[in-house]
Amino acid sequence: VATQQPVTTPQITTPTAAPNLVSLEGVAFFGSLGGLMAFLLMGFSPFRAVTYALAIVFSVVLINPATKVSLRDRLIAIGMWVLLTALARYTAPAVGSWGDALIWSMAGLMLVGLFASAWKEMLSNSFRTTAAGGLPLIVAAGCVGIVIGLVSRTGIGTGVPQAIIPLAGSNLFLGLVAIMLCSLVLGMGLPSAVSYLLLATIIGPVFADPALGVPILAAHLFIFYFGMMAMVTPPVALAAYATASIANADVMKSGIAAFRFSLAGFTLPFMFVYRPALCLMGQDGGSPLVWDVIIAVLAAVIGIVALSSALAGYLFGRLEGWLRLVLFLAAACALFPDQFGLLGNQIQLFDVIGAALLLFAGLWNGKSARRISA
């Protein structure tokens, strides 16, 4: 007796629609970010610039069909926004411009939305998420206030240069390490301009000592760079904490991850000092030779690529332990300041060794990656 074989029906796959290159969500993100930068460049205060950028987000939310609110409720909200703006402009005595009226109307629209059943849940979740994400930043800003108070109320502003100048005079590298640590501490949580002014006032006199022989532009780039690196250096890594609040991630783990990813960047300020050609300067602060700039850029690329690969454990493929040690050695050679000149000091010995070690590690790792792939 023949057994009946089950009949299989062919699977029919429907082609998926290609994603749109332009979406309203993208317009909300890039439009608000671009608008924020444009408003700041136009001279508006940070509060007003952020509020105007928020108006762009409001507009996109109200016209976006993906918003989980009926078209009728969205049209009512648009009409109420226009009405509140006109009322604030022509009736409120403290409102002197349409920009002020826009701010007041947005506040009124959110207040009304909290009592409207269609918008209540969305606005409540937004306020709750914003409050939870802002707590780490508020705590960090409070800690920064303590640091600024200690600097202004104690003699640390004059004590730091007096302690670092003798150290830097006998050993420039140790002096730079001390300046780096001070810049990381004093730059915690401060805006760019405030951080630079504080560091230039306290740390700047250290580089004024002519015995150090550091070009003034390289010196100021050194302290400014590390003042900004405080944004990704725990325990007060404001950039990492802001990212953690957006991603709902652990604050300290995000800060440590940001610090680990930024370790390669810690070498670049030292190269500003030891290789001023990166700043398009000679050792005396004048114009550099083209060949010196090329060598400095190549050495920086070799050192940073080798160090980044060694820290990440990946180049063309996963790196073995001994190859990571080779890459660490290559980075140390390329970033090593006191070197032995070759060809009339045109090329440095340790730069050649670092390039050779990076080339060896790249060829070995690339061959291993191709073999594993095959």
Side-chain angles (χ1 to χ4, degrees):
V1 179
T3 58
Q4 184 178 0
Q5 297 294 330
V7 179
T8 59
T9 58
Q11 298 292 330
I12 300 176
T13 58
T14 58
T16 58
N20 295 326
L21 294 178
V22 179
S23 63
L24 288 176
E25 288 80 4
V27 172
F29 180 81
F30 290 104
S32 59
L33 180 61
L36 175 61
M37 292 187 292
F39 294 138
L40 289 174
L41 292 175
M42 291 169 62
F44 291 105
S45 65
F47 170 77
R48 190 172 292 270
V50 170
T51 307
Y52 290 164
L54 184 60
I56 299 176
V57 179
F58 264 47
S59 303
V60 175
V61 169
L62 291 176
I63 66 175
N64 190 0
T67 303
K68 297 180 180 180
V69 177
S70 65
L71 177 61
R72 173 177 170 273
D73 291 324
R74 282 189 275 123
L75 291 177
I76 292 175
I78 294 174
M80 184 172 294
W81 192 6
V82 175
L83 178 62
L84 289 175
T85 303
L87 288 175
R89 177 67 181 88
Y90 292 111
T91 60
V95 175
S97 65
W98 284 105
D100 296 338
L102 179 66
I103 296 175
W104 283 102
S105 65
M106 290 175 58
L109 188 64
M110 288 188 290
L111 182 62
V112 173
L114 287 175
F115 295 96
S117 58
W119 298 95
K120 180 178 181 180
E121 183 178 359
M122 180 185 299
L123 288 175
S124 299
N125 291 335
S126 300
F127 287 140
R128 190 181 303 110
T129 304
T130 303
L135 284 177
L137 301 180
I138 296 172
V139 173
C143 295
V144 169
I146 297 175
V147 175
I148 296 176
L150 290 175
V151 172
S152 60
R153 295 292 182 179
T154 63
I156 190 174
T158 57
V160 169
Q162 293 176 358
I164 296 179
I165 287 176
L167 178 63
S170 59
N171 191 313
L172 179 59
F173 179 75
L174 293 179
L176 291 177
V177 171
I179 293 172
M180 175 192 72
L181 296 176
C182 292
S183 300
L184 289 174
V185 173
L186 297 177
M188 289 189 305
L190 298 178
S192 303
V194 178
S195 173
Y196 172 68
L197 291 175
L198 178 64
L199 294 173
T201 303
I202 297 179
I203 308 296
V206 177
F207 288 106
D209 190 351
L212 300 182
V214 178
I216 189 65
L217 178 59
H220 281 260
L221 283 176
F222 185 91
I223 59 177
F224 178 68
Y225 196 103
F226 277 117
M228 293 298 95
M229 291 299 285
M231 289 289 182
V232 291
T233 305
V236 185
L238 286 186
Y241 294 168
T243 306
S245 64
I246 295 173
N248 293 326
D250 184 82
V251 171
M252 286 309 299
K253 289 183 178 178
S254 299
I256 294 172
F259 176 72
R260 188 175 72 250
F261 292 149
S262 305
L263 277 177
F266 278 72
T267 62
L268 193 57
F270 288 91
M271 300 192 74
F272 291 157
V273 174
Y274 287 110
R275 298 179 187 269
L278 285 175
C279 304
L280 299 181
M281 294 187 306
Q283 291 290 344
D284 56 352
S287 300
L289 300 175
V290 177
W291 180 251
D292 292 338
V293 176
I294 295 175
I295 292 297
V297 171
L298 289 177
V301 170
I302 292 171
I304 291 176
V305 169
L307 182 58
S308 301
S309 302
L311 290 171
Y314 190 93
L315 188 54
F316 296 104
R318 187 175 297 276
L319 290 168
E320 302 174 14
W322 67 275
L323 270 183
R324 296 181 71 175
L325 293 177
V326 170
L327 287 174
F328 275 122
L329 184 59
C333 290
L335 303 174
F336 187 67
D338 302 320
Q339 306 187 14
F340 305 97
L342 300 176
L343 302 177
N345 286 331
Q346 295 296 321
I347 300 177
Q348 302 297 326
L349 175 61
F350 281 93
D351 290 344
V352 176
I353 295 175
L357 291 175
L358 178 61
L359 179 62
F360 166 76
L363 292 175
W364 187 283
N365 182 245
K367 182 179 178 180
S368 301
R370 288 191 299 270
R371 185 173 63 251
I372 294 173
S373 177

